[in-house]
Amino acid sequence: MPSHQLARVIGSVLPVVLLLGSACGVGSILEADVRTFRSESSQEIGVLTWEIVECKSKATLSRASRTVLARDVTITSNRDAAGGVTFDKRIDLEGGFYIELVECPEDFPATSPDSP
C-alpha cells in the first residue's frame, strides 16, 4: 500500500494457524521456494470491517464490512535458501486494496519440556 494511504481495520478475523517445525532465519538474496495455499471452504471465520483513508486529504477511498470465509484467505509460504520461512496471509478487499499479515514462525519443540 502506498505510504500516503492509511488502512484502519475494525472488527476481528479468526487467525489461520499453521504449526511448523522451522524457525525464521535471516533473509537471503538467493532463490526462494514459494507455495500458495487457498481453501475452497465456505466456512465463516470472522467479520472484517475496514476503512481506507487518503492521509493528505482525509478522503475515504474504501469502506465496507463483510463476513470472511476460509476461501477468502490466501496463504503464501516463502522459504529462502538459508531455510528461513515466512507466511503471508492475505485477504483481498475491494478496489484493489488488501490486508496482509506476514508471520515468521518460532521453533516448536518435538516434545514439551514436561515430557519424560
Side-chain angles (χ1 to χ4, degrees):
M1 185 180 321
S3 61
H4 68 281
Q5 295 173 348
L6 169 70
R8 282 185 268 176
V9 178
I10 306 161
S12 64
V13 174
L14 299 177
V16 177
V17 178
L18 297 174
L19 299 178
L20 303 168
S22 318
C24 181
V26 176
S28 171
I29 60 171
L30 301 175
E31 189 173 326
D33 177 24
V34 178
R35 297 178 187 193
T36 300
F37 308 92
R38 188 175 210 155
S39 173
E40 293 182 15
S41 172
S42 59
Q43 178 183 354
E44 294 181 6
I45 60 172
V47 174
L48 182 63
T49 301
W50 71 88
E51 181 176 39
I52 311 291
V53 178
E54 200 280 322
C55 292
K56 187 174 182 179
S57 69
K58 306 287 187 212
T60 298
L61 304 175
S62 175
R63 174 187 298 150
S65 181
R66 76 163 201 247
T67 299
V68 178
L69 307 178
R71 67 176 173 231
D72 295 332
V73 180
T74 302
I75 302 172
T76 303
S77 165
N78 300 288
R79 181 181 299 272
D80 64 27
V85 178
T86 60
F87 290 90
D88 303 346
K89 298 175 182 178
R90 175 178 165 152
I91 299 173
D92 290 326
L93 305 176
E94 62 182 32
F97 293 103
Y98 62 90
I99 60 169
E100 186 171 73
L101 172 66
V102 177
E103 291 186 308
C104 180
E106 297 177 334
D107 274 338
F108 291 94
T111 59
S112 72
D114 300 327
S115 297

